[in-house]
Amino acid sequence: MSEVKEASENEILKKIDPAPWKEVPLVLNNRSYKWVTDKICGIVESKTPTWWWWCFITALCIASFTGMGLVYLVSTGVGVWGNNNPVNWGWAIVNFVFWIGIGHAGTLISAVLCLLKQKWRTSINRASEAMTVFAVLCAGIFPLFHVGRVWFAWWLFPIPNANAIWPQFRSPLEWDVFAVSTYATVSILFWYMGMIPDMAVLRDRAKETWRKYFYGFFAMGWRNANNHWRNFEMAYLLLAGLSTPLVLSVHTIVSFDFAVANLPGWHTTIFPPYFVAGAIFSGFGMVLTLLLPVRAVFGLRDLITQKHIDNMCMITLATGSLVGYAYAMEFFIAWYGANSYEGFAFINRAFGNYWWSYWIMVSCNVICPQLFWFKKIRENTPLVWIISIFVNVGMWFERFVIANTTLSRDFLPSSWGYYSPTVVDIFTFFGTFGFFSVLFLLFLRFLPLMPMCEVKSVMPQADPHSDH
Amino acid sequence: MIKESKQPPFSVGKDYWKSLDSLAETPGFQDWVSREFPEGASMLDGVQRRSFVKLMAASFGLAGLGMTGCRRPEHVILPYGKSPEELIPGVPAFYATAQPTSRGFQPLIVESHQGRPTKVEGNPSYIPFGGSTDVYSQASVLDLYDPDRAQGSYVRQTLKSGVFRWKKISTSTVLDSISDEISNGKVGILANHSHSVLRNSLSEKIKGKGIKWFEHEAINYRSAERQLGEVLGVQVGLRAVPTLKSAKRVLSLDCDFLGNREANEVANTKAFMSGRKVLDPKDARKMNRLYIVESDLSRTGGVADHRLRLESSSIFAFSCLVASELLAKTKDADAKLIGHLGKLGANANKHSKWVTEVVKDLVSSSSNSVVLAGSHLPKEVQLLAYTMNRALGAIGSTVDYIETSDSSESISSLASQIVSGEVERLIILGGNPVFQTKGFLDWDTLSKKLKYCVRLGASIDESSQIADHHIGQSHYLECWDIGKTWDQTALVPVQPLIAPLFDTISENKLLCHLLGDESSDHDLVRDLQISISGNLSFEDFLRLGCSDLKAVNGKNVDPSKALLRLSVQDSKSPVFSENNLEVLIIPDFHAHDGQYANNGWMQECPDPISKLTWDNALLISPVLAKQLEAKHSNLGLLPKATMLNNNGQIAPDAALFEGGKQKAPVVSLKVGNRSILCPLYVQPGLADFTVVASFGLGRRHVGRVGQGSGYDSAPLLNGNGSFILQGASLEPTGDFSILANVQEHWSMEGRAIVREANSEDYQNDPGFASHMGAESHSPPMWGKDQDKSLAEKATSTPRGNSAYEHPDHTYEKSDVFGIHQWGMAIDLNQCTGCSACVVACQSENNIPVVGKDQVLRGREMHWIRLDRYFSSTARDGAEIPSDVQVSFQGVACMHCETAPCESVCPVNATVHDEEGLNAMAYNRCVGTRYCANNCPYKVRRFNFFDWNKRSTDELYQGPLGEKNDSLVDMGKNPDVTVRMRGVMEKCTYCVQRIQESKIRTKINAQRSAKLETGRDGSDVKLETKDLKVPDGTIKTACQQVCPSEAIVFGDISDPDSEVSKLKNNPRDYSVLGYLNTRPRTTFLAKVRNPNNRMPDFSPSPHSTREYHDKAHPSHHGDEHGAH
């Protein structure tokens, strides 16, 4: 073997003249730190735009549907919903799983992508975390109010009491209580903690007194000191580590509500991974649905770049395909398992009395995201937004299909039934979108919608080795 | 017929009326009674809780007097000053009484809590019923507390605007005005059929006073006996009373003897089904066999081994064919007669192969065979049935023809006498003749002719509309009476359990008043009883609840002459087609003849075959439905199969569902110049061109419950009393009606839910049931424990071949393991679908009525439901078949040992108790409904609303809605919690009855231990064996009412208990056993007994074949039923 000299190597490089690896910057147009600060803080500090008021009032009205629906429900009985025997869980549980699923993207983006050092997450993580928190709040409404005697719902918590009765720890609903409350707590902590430095920025820029007090209170005395940053970074990392398993556990446990039951179509081991994939899928769908308009309205194209959209689209594509694989695998196992009840349950899903919902689900969840293979489509923002809506619809139907097709036709044909929602069902669910929007609009108005410090850290200027 | 009610060795279970009697003998009580008796307190007007309780307390206190449980009706008394000794609040008393019906008096024992009758049970002293009742008796107690009852008497007032209203007045005022009116003469009385000895004696006296007596019964069970007497030329009626205990072969000619279309359903069911009890292959060889020819699919048809669909109009010709073949085969052969009958039967010749085999089979069992004819059939068929029974030697062996007499005039003659002015004043006693006869009598004109009309009725209904006065009629639980059972072998008392709640009187009281006889009806009943069965004292008679009577058997009459008079013309029936339909009118399951139309329990109890609630529909055959579909495109009668499955298509639901609700096209049914509007319902098993209309619903003047339910077929009825009409046609109106069907899917889809075999297969393989179902062809999950009995599998924790190690903390060896282990076995071979269990459970367990709207939403609350499956020979199951086999299955909570509901309840509200009950703690339930989802049997019921607090039309009003009438609450069983909204409920195995028996057993054990040892208090040690409740002591409500003893409950840890024996029977299986739920309720597989020479013989039951086709699809196409 002949010796290769370094000089000759260099010569080769000179000869072929390789193009430099050009990383697409995460903030476009060479924006400065100040621009970022002004941009994000400006959203909060500027005069409340008129559109915001219109949106807020509309959302508030819509949210009142949920309020009225729940008042009617509690005062009259669960019968005002469409639930029946055999479909004892109707829309309520469907909506719960739907919202909880949406709540997944936030933590995934902030925690998992943080641990995986995915720098592009920075400009979307704050809004996603807010979405998570609000979605979990919406989700919590349903399991709480779907019970027959909501005034005793606290019995689900293991509170020592005079009767010495504990909850039943074998019940997946009990696990739900812990899983969802833990998830909500950690998500709120994570969200809030990440906001502290930005709150301090807002505090420091504030002119009105109330702002000074408001942001000052929430900034918790942040002084930008080195040890503050050290603690912050460490706490952030710890919380990221803590929330990462939660991303998997919450929806796993939610899927146990079904998988632990013995009903054909529910009693399957594929549910946990399939639910988690579905949750991430729906979460990213919702992030796209929310952030694309926000990006347009606030002119954030330099911060939420095509790269971000590309990445989110690709995650949606990947998880959508995973979900599609799960659908196929369910059918395979139902056939391979040779259990006639199980086999029937799946044929019933696709061709039975709720066939329409199954095919809505398949076309929205499996077929739609396949469009993201094409760069042209990913770059067409309105189209991406429309597809993201389809993803949301499809994921709602997925839960509907799972919950209702199985319950409406299970073991004994004598007890087969059919479920249709009532007006109260529809309005209560519709109202949660209003509730969610109210919260999200307040978030946009009063809180920094991007972590400025983190965005700055991934800007080209932050890299001392960069040319700038 | 009478047996002394056996008291268990120690007083366990029902403490009948005896203890109260002994109570009455104590001098202190006698003294108290004489002192505390105020005379002539004012009568109650309306019921108020306070006065009601006072009254009840007093009447209960008097329970121990010689009158056994009844105060003298004249007196209203004050509450106890001091509680009588030994009267334990909370412990119910039981009294013997009877329900007077047109089907004879139904002997009953009624449970009374502090004076409130709450639950009706059959009187076991009357052996043919053996402690069972039909569904109507069960529901009748609700009528007592019906808020829509006539709560007194009313006078009709016409307002200036021309409308009239009813003003409440006192009954005594009305009685006075009646006295005035009848003194003017020309009085007629219109009454129902009655089997009351008292009323008959009163009516004779009435007739003696020149008052005319007319009787009408819409569902006339007695027409057959009258017709048979007529056609045979004897002066009396001849009532065919089957005694089916020894019957081996039964041919039913459109005779629903196991259902509500014939009288004596309970006795027939009990006797007939006892001949189908199959506990081992030996029994199977002795099993009886039922052939039926019918146009409708009745419950009897559901039980039948061979069933031929034939229009009712053709039954005459068919019977002639059977009779001619039968006479030819028996020694009575007379060539001329046989030839004549053969000629008459020529129209039915296409069924000759069927007939030949049936006749062969009937003749082979000769006197153990019987032919039964439906009471709605013409006299010729009654005659033919009589002839055949005579030829078979069945009379006296399997059927008795007893003499009856009936000297009343018909309602048509009343009408003509009103028109001619012979009757000017009319008294209508009970019933509802105006509603029932409006098809052929013009009551508007008739009522104008009447000078005065008074109506005695339970509620203000259609018949009250023509009356000037309405008098509230007392419920039978408020009156005295005495009467006969249908078979006339027993004299039974009706004794009141409660003073009339309102200002009402009984029929007999009114008649007495007309006679000017002021003696109390109690005395009249006593005198009559003593004169009829003098050797039994009146007190004993009341305690026993019945006394022996000798029915008079009819003389044996040679029918040949009458037979020869039959003409070929009569036997011809038209060829029916879509444009010339036959209409069969049957009594409605829910309302009977209309009298239960306001009874919520009956309205909500699903029709056993169609499973409709709150409605009736015009039943049409699938063939007719197809033809109608072809003609009218948008009917939607026959839906497409709703999915694809591995066999091609799945059976569609029986009718079209839109959003889960059954949309039935409304048609106009025209018969001659009469027509009615009614919704259509496709029913398998009907004769192709027979449509079945039910009678009794669709009432206009009815209480809140019955308002708007069903359609009225009364306009179709004609004066000749025929329930079979011809020449009908259907015309869709384009409207649709929503029907509340509790079971939408008719097919079992080849699942081994109801497991069946033919008798022959059963004899070859008694354990066939364990070779079916997913558990039979999946890897043996029980491993080495495979052969343990189901009882053992449910009470122990067998681990099978589990590779995992388990710590030995086996529950069954622990201290907390109960000394009883409860379980139930339901023999599917015994169930006829009578649904008495459904209502009995409802009555016992305070199960609310939810109303049609909520049933439509799938929220019915029945703890036990009767699943009805059809199975057919059609292989793909995608089309609604015409020829079906029916399988019934009563499903209530199975009390699984490894209950799926228990592990998913997040708050521990449903837990297992130490005796194997799956207990439900209502107080703890928050209502997540997860348990109901996870129950594979779907037996859990959720209180979606405050069913008990609000009436069914106020449910959606929430707190703004009005509260329910508290009168209904008085009928509630105080031993069972009334559930609030938001909680789950389900069958508890009647835990209140279990507890009661356990407490009694313990008390008795303590007493005897005290006596033996002389010690008292905590040092008395009780042995486990003393605390064990003897087998058979506890009967669940469903078990107690079941006429065919299909349900057996008991301790499965006791190998000698009846339930254990049944669970060790090879026919025993768990439904969905493969889920390893280890249910405590198991089922005994059904055995059918077809005749393998019959043309419609199927080597295995249809459902079994469907199962095998599905379980082994590779053998698809093999010989049917091969396995």
Side-chain angles (χ1 to χ4, degrees), chain A residues 119-163:
Chain A
K119 290 179 177 172
W120 60 275
R121 75 179 189 100
T122 52
S123 49
I124 56 168
N125 77 341
R126 172 73 43 76
S128 314
E129 284 169 41
M131 178 194 80
T132 294
V133 172
F134 303 152
V136 171
L137 291 181
C138 288
I141 291 171
F142 290 102
L144 174 65
F145 282 95
H146 96 289
V147 301
R149 303 198 294 173
V150 68
W151 49 96
F152 290 134
W154 56 273
W155 286 350
L156 269 80
F157 290 96
I159 301 167
N161 57 52
N163 296 332

Side-chain angles (χ1 to χ4, degrees), chain A residues 85-86 264 340-341 344-345 348 353 405-418, chain B residues 611 642-643 645 650-654 657 741-754 860 865-871 887 889 891 935-938 1071-1072 1103 1106 1110:
Chain A
N85 194 20
S340 60
Y341 297 92
F344 174 86
N348 185 38
N353 45 358
T405 54
T406 286
L407 285 176
S408 70
R409 288 182 167 178
D410 66 346
F411 294 102
L412 304 187
S414 68
S415 301
W416 288 0
Y418 194 85
Chain B
K611 290 283 148 197
T642 50
M643 69 159 66
N645 70 3
I650 200 162
D653 300 324
F657 286 88
N741 191 328
V742 296
Q743 186 182 342
E744 294 151 3
H745 201 80
W746 55 263
S747 168
M748 225 184 303
E749 296 303 338
R751 299 175 174 188
I753 296 166
V754 176
E860 63 276 4
R865 62 167 199 266
L866 214 55
D867 290 347
R868 178 271 298 130
Y869 295 106
F870 294 132
S871 45
S887 320
Q889 184 176 40
V891 179
C935 173
Y937 311 101
K938 288 286 169 285
V1071 173
L1072 302 174
S1103 68
E1106 281 173 6
K1110 201 143 208 192

